[in-house]
Amino acid sequence: MIDLNSLFLPGFVVALLICLMSGYPVAFVLGGVSLIFAGLGVLAGSFDATLLAAMPQRVYAAMTNDILLAVPLFVFMGAMLERSGIASELLDGIGRLFGRRRGGLGYAITLVGAMLAASTGIVGATVTTMALLSLPVMLKWGYSPRLAAGAICASGTLGQIIPPSLVLVLLADTISSAYQKAQLEQGIFSPETVSISDLFAGAIVPGLVLVGAYLIYQIMMAWLRPDTCPAPPVVAGQEPPAIGDLLLRLFPPLALIIGVLGSILGGVATPTESACIGAVGAIVLAGFGPERRARANLTLLLLGMAVVLKTVVLPSIGLSLWAERIVLLVPVLCFLAMLVIALGQTLRNGGMSKTCEETARLSAMVFMILIGAAMLSLTFRGFGGEEIVQHLIDSVPGGPYMALAMVMAVMFVLGFILDFIEIIFVIVPTVAPVLLMSDIDPIWFAILISLNLQTSFLTPPFGFALFYFRSSAPPEVKTTDIYLGVLPYIAIQTLVLLTVAFWPQIATWLPYALR
C-alpha cells in the first residue's frame, strides 16, 4: 500500500523543477507551486497549516532588513555607471597605457573588467559592455576570436566575486541567517553574525588572485603564441598618452571604488551608507560625462574631503559641535551644488529615468524571489524536507567536507539553469544550516559559493556569461570559438576555487584581521 503523504515532498520538488524550466517568472513559480502543494497537503492532513502563519512575519522581516536595503542602491550605482561612458574611458585609457605591447588590449580588458566589477557588480552589464566596446577593435587588430571571447567573458564574470558584488550582498543575509540558525541548534543562544563587510573583505584576496591568474595566462599566450594577440597597428602621428590624461581618466572609478569599499572595510560607514555614497558618486560621473570629467573629479574630492574631515580630522582635534559644522559647511555646500548640476544633467539626458526604471525592475525581481523563496522554505519544512536534507548530508561518506563538495557540485550544475538569485534564496538556506553546524567557517563557505557560481556561469554550454556575449558578438565569431576560448579560464577559476578550498585562510584572514 503506497502512502500518499510520502509522495508530497518528491512531487513538490519535481513540480518545482519542471515549472522552473518552463520559462515562467521564477518568483511566481516558487510562491505558486509552494502554495498549491501546501494547500493539497492541508487537505490531505499531511501539512500543518499553522506554518503558513509565519509568512507575514517573513515578509515584514525582509522589508525591515537593513542589509537588503543596500541591494537597490548598489543596483542603481551599477545601472547609472553603465550609462556614464566610464567603461569606454577606462578601456581607452588602460589600452593606451600598454602601448605597443602584444596582448595589451587583453590586459586592458582584464583590468577594466575588474574595475567595472568593483564599480557595478553586475555580470550581464559588464560582459555586454565589454563585448560592444572592445571586441570589434580586437578583431580589427587581428586578435584570435577565441582569445578575445575568452578574455571578455572571463573578465565579465569577475563581478561575481569582486566587491561590491550583488552575489555577496545577497549571500551575506542568507549566510548570516543560516549561521545563526546553526548556532541556535547547537545550543549557542548568543549567536555570532556574518556581515556584508566580512564577505567583501573575504572576497578581496581571491578576486585579486583570479585577476592575477588571468593576466599571467594572457602574458604566456602573448609569449608562446604572439600571432593570436598582435601588437596594435602603428598610426602615423599618434603620440603616446600623457600621464596626466591617463590619471584623469582613471581617478573617478578608482575614487568611487575606494570610497565604497574603504568606508565599509574601515568601519566608517555601514554597507547601506556606503551604497548611498556609491549611488551619489555614480550620479556625479554620469552627470558630468567624459567632456567635463575634471568637474566630476573635483566633486568626488569634495565628498572625500567632507568624509575625511568628519570621521578622521575633526574628532582628533576636539572641536565643539558648532565649530565642526562650520568647518564642514564649505565642502558640503560646494559638493551639493555640483551634485545638483550633475543631477539636472542626468534628468535632461534621460539617464536618470532609465536608471530608475532598471533599478526598480531588478530590485523588484530580487525581492519577489525572496518572498517566493520564503514560501518555498515554509512548504519544504512542512513536508519534512529539512530533516531529509540533514539526514542525506550526515550520511555522505567522508564527513562534512565531502558533503560540502557534494553541495558545491549540485550548485555548479544548478547554475546552468537557475540564476544566482534563485540559488542563493532557495538552495543555500536549505543546506547551509546543516553544513555550518559542522564547524565550517561561514565566510569561507560563502566565498566558495561565489567562486563556484562564477565558474558555473562561464562553463559551456549553458553559462549565462556566454549567452550575454553571444547576444553582443558579431556573426563571424562562432559559438565554438566562444566555448573553446573560455576553457582555459574555466581551468584557472577551478584552480583558484580548489586553492581557496584547501587553504581557507586565503578567504578568512582579512575579515578576521579587520574585526
Side-chain angles (χ1 to χ4, degrees):
M1 186 79 179
I2 299 177
D3 183 9
L4 294 179
N5 292 334
S6 63
L7 298 179
F8 271 105
L9 183 60
F12 171 58
V13 174
V14 171
L16 192 64
L17 291 175
I18 292 175
C19 293
L20 284 174
M21 290 185 289
S22 68
Y24 199 73
V26 173
F28 303 113
V29 167
L30 297 178
V33 174
S34 302
L35 189 60
I36 291 172
F37 271 82
L40 294 175
V42 170
L43 294 176
S46 60
F47 187 90
D48 186 1
T50 58
L51 282 172
L52 300 180
M55 190 63 195
Q57 286 87 347
R58 292 203 172 194
V59 175
Y60 181 74
M63 294 168 58
T64 56
N65 192 322
D66 291 337
I67 295 178
L68 295 179
L69 185 61
V71 171
L73 293 171
F74 279 126
V75 172
F76 178 91
M77 181 179 74
M80 182 63 78
L81 287 176
E82 185 184 355
R83 303 180 183 279
S84 67
I86 194 171
S88 58
E89 285 189 69
L90 284 174
L91 192 62
D92 179 63
I94 297 179
R96 291 168 63 192
L97 181 64
F98 286 105
R100 306 296 179 193
R101 294 176 178 85
R102 288 195 302 266
L105 194 53
Y107 311 150
I109 286 172
T110 300
L111 294 175
V112 171
M115 288 186 181
L116 289 179
S119 303
T120 66
I122 303 174
V123 171
T126 305
V127 173
T128 303
T129 302
M130 298 292 288
L132 292 174
L133 290 176
S134 60
L135 184 59
V137 179
M138 298 180 81
L139 297 178
K140 180 180 178 181
W141 287 2
Y143 273 68
S144 165
R146 294 182 184 179
L147 187 66
I152 294 172
C153 291
S155 301
T157 60
L158 290 172
Q160 298 288 95
I161 186 65
I162 294 181
S165 165
L166 190 60
V167 173
L168 297 176
V169 175
L170 299 178
L171 266 177
D173 179 62
T174 307
I175 290 293
S176 182
S177 300
Y179 188 42
Q180 293 181 56
K181 182 178 179 180
Q183 291 175 90
L184 292 174
E185 291 288 337
Q186 293 174 310
I188 302 173
F189 298 106
S190 297
E192 298 178 0
T193 60
V194 178
S195 65
I196 293 180
S197 58
D198 291 332
L199 297 195
F200 280 7
I204 288 176
V205 176
L208 293 177
V209 169
L210 204 54
V211 172
Y214 287 174
L215 291 174
I216 290 173
Y217 166 72
Q218 291 169 352
I219 292 172
M220 291 176 59
M221 288 296 295
W223 180 47
L224 297 175
R225 299 189 60 187
D227 58 305
T228 61
C229 48
V234 177
V235 179
Q238 187 180 39
E239 298 180 358
I243 299 299
D245 181 59
L246 290 177
L247 293 178
L248 192 66
R249 292 170 182 266
L250 296 178
F251 175 78
L254 290 176
L256 192 62
I257 294 168
I258 294 172
V260 173
L261 295 183
S263 58
I264 294 176
L265 300 180
V268 176
T270 66
T272 302
E273 293 167 346
S274 299
C276 292
I277 295 174
V280 170
I283 292 174
V284 171
L285 296 182
F288 287 113
E291 66 280 359
R292 292 185 291 176
R293 186 61 72 211
R295 294 187 183 183
N297 293 343
L298 175 60
T299 309
L300 293 177
L301 281 175
L302 289 170
L303 177 60
M305 183 189 303
V307 172
V308 171
L309 284 174
K310 176 63 178 174
T311 58
V312 179
V313 178
L314 295 181
S316 62
I317 297 176
L319 295 178
S320 64
L321 179 60
W322 282 105
E324 287 189 1
R325 290 176 177 176
I326 293 173
V327 172
L328 287 172
L329 187 61
V330 174
V332 169
L333 287 179
C334 293
F335 166 74
L336 289 177
M338 302 290 281
L339 178 60
V340 169
I341 296 173
L343 187 59
Q345 183 63 30
T346 58
L347 289 172
R348 284 191 296 271
N349 61 25
M352 179 61 71
S353 61
K354 294 178 181 178
T355 299
C356 289
E357 181 181 346
E358 178 68 15
T359 302
R361 185 189 65 80
L362 186 55
S363 300
M365 180 187 70
V366 170
F367 285 99
M368 281 303 300
I369 292 176
L370 175 60
I371 293 172
M375 187 67 207
L376 169 67
S377 175
L378 290 173
T379 306
F380 192 73
R381 177 186 296 180
F383 287 127
E386 287 189 348
E387 291 79 5
I388 293 176
V389 170
Q390 182 169 358
H391 175 71
L392 288 174
I393 291 178
D394 291 340
S395 62
V396 173
Y401 291 99
M402 187 59 68
L404 174 63
M406 182 187 71
V407 168
M408 287 294 162
V410 172
M411 285 187 183
F412 180 82
V413 175
L414 289 176
F416 293 154
I417 57 176
L418 298 179
D419 193 52
F420 69 89
I421 301 174
E422 296 102 68
I423 294 175
I424 290 173
F425 285 153
V426 177
I427 307 301
V428 175
T430 304
V431 299
V434 181
L435 291 172
L436 295 178
M437 282 192 291
S438 303
D439 294 328
I440 289 176
D441 188 279
I443 299 175
W444 175 60
F445 181 44
I447 300 305
L448 287 180
I449 292 175
S450 183
L451 287 169
N452 189 23
L453 292 179
Q454 180 188 3
T455 308
S456 178
F457 290 172
L458 193 61
T459 302
F462 304 109
F464 284 98
L466 308 182
F467 294 151
Y468 290 129
F469 182 85
R470 178 70 278 176
S471 64
S472 307
E476 56 264 27
V477 178
K478 300 178 182 178
T479 303
T480 53
D481 291 331
I482 301 174
Y483 289 174
L484 293 174
V486 299
L487 290 181
Y489 293 94
I490 295 173
I492 292 172
Q493 291 188 180
T494 304
L495 181 61
V496 173
L497 175 62
L498 292 175
T499 303
V500 175
F502 285 104
W503 285 279
Q505 295 81 5
I506 296 175
T508 58
W509 74 269
L510 184 57
Y512 290 118
L514 293 175
R515 284 187 173 182

